[in-house]
Amino acid sequence: MTRPRLRARAGVSEIPLAVMRRPARQLTVDVPDQFLCPVSLDVMRDPVTAPTGITYDRESVEGWLERGRATCPVTGRPLRLEELVPNHATRRMIQEWCVANRALGVERVPTPRVPVSTADACELFASVTAAARRGDGQVCRQMVARARALGKESERNRRCFAVAGAARALAAAFSHLVAFHQAETRALEEILAALVVFFPLDEESRRRITFPAPLDAVVSLLSHGEHVTRVSAAVVLREIASSSDNQCLQAMSKASGIYDALVNLVAKPVSPQATKASLVTAYYLVTNTEHAAARLVDLGMVELLVELLADADKGTTEKALAVLDSVLVTDEGRDRAYAHALAVPVLAKKTMHVSDMATEFAVSALWRLCKNSPADGGCKAEALQVGAFQKLLLLLQLGCEGITKERASELLKLLNGSRDSTECIETADFKGLKRSFP
């Protein structure tokens, strides 16, 4: 068998499992066979030994087992994950070899962290639950912070915590702490941050958080917490809303201050992630509950969305268009859009400009506006002036399906009746129209 070599060359900052410290001349490093994982054929960073006596790199053999192969890769004998034992002697030999070859540009393999076992995870979350039940926010916060740090270390740890019921334990702890009138805010903040690490939330976890008192606490942190906490709260609400759990959505729609908090995250962003999360939550509330659209329109969401769309990235554009289309089902929502000089130009601009999803929502929003526009045809004339007719025609020629095709065809018919008296232009320059709203 030809012995693998690690080659270090100028311009390469990383080589498999042994990293260059600095640019160097052409060098080769002979790797001892016993340091190579039989699965990956790379130098082992965290060697573990199976009962068969074969040593593997932990990540490689665990990946092998997780793909449904319950056998030792070399011998074919039955093998379970919990039977793997850390091989400290081999790991130390690999580290010594790395140090000996330091002059050739090989860096020392770091000592791996001990992974969490399912038993350890269960014990840790039992401590979290016990501390929350007695209202000990400080101990609860410390335990949750430890769990969150361990969960962020590796995917394996997160899987162990998931098996141990991490999301349920955290949701229960949040609910228990909120029941105490002087619950420690920092403990609630830590739990929200940990929940984000241990997504997805199951039905029990979602419904615990959407009980009135816990949900009010989440909305309060969304409104008044530190920036990091507001992001965590926004992402947790997005996770719950996007599950389309009707019971949770109905509870959220009745939570005090939730609409103000969502609109405020769009008006005064704290991070792109929080903005996108708030848009997703708003979309699911509007499409699944009564009065949500009217509440958002009253708070100025239409104007904010139009302004946001003028220079948003792809992900934000898709989500903002989805919310805008959903609130335009209301008369007041359309009236707000008619009154905004940028609404029709920006919708025409986003058609066939961002993505198929964005085009679908932009066409639908234009259709709602033009179909319900006043008899004088002002909205249709404006759509023609900014080139909507040409874009819709091209869209149908290139091909689209379903509701988008139907609405694009109907829009063309609506706009065709106004073409005689309106000069069409190819593009819309609406940067000069942009204005700020409070």
Side-chain angles (χ1 to χ4, degrees), residues 93-170:
M93 290 171 62
I94 292 173
Q95 290 176 328
E96 290 170 359
W97 172 83
C98 289
V99 171
N101 288 277
R102 183 180 180 184
L104 300 178
V106 178
E107 286 192 352
R108 181 177 181 273
V109 172
T111 301
R113 295 179 180 272
V114 178
V116 174
S117 68
T118 302
D120 292 336
C122 290
E123 181 180 351
L124 179 56
F125 280 110
S127 300
V128 169
T129 302
R133 281 177 174 168
R134 64 176 182 267
D136 192 338
Q138 182 175 358
V139 171
C140 184
R141 176 171 58 85
Q142 292 171 349
M143 294 294 100
V144 171
R146 182 184 171 198
R148 181 163 71 100
L150 290 170
K152 292 174 70 174
E153 280 184 7
S154 68
E155 180 62 30
R156 183 188 188 282
N157 284 356
R158 287 191 289 277
R159 287 195 299 271
C160 282
F161 282 129
V163 171
R168 292 184 182 185
L170 290 168

Side-chain angles (χ1 to χ4, degrees), residues 60 101 115 150 270 405:
S60 298
N101 288 277
L150 290 170
V270 296
K405 182 177 181 180

Side-chain angles (χ1 to χ4, degrees), residues 8 20-22 24-25 27-30 100-106:
M20 284 288 296
R21 290 184 295 106
R22 60 183 180 275
R25 65 184 184 277
L27 301 171
T28 57
V29 184
D30 290 327
N101 288 277
R102 183 180 180 184
L104 300 178
V106 178

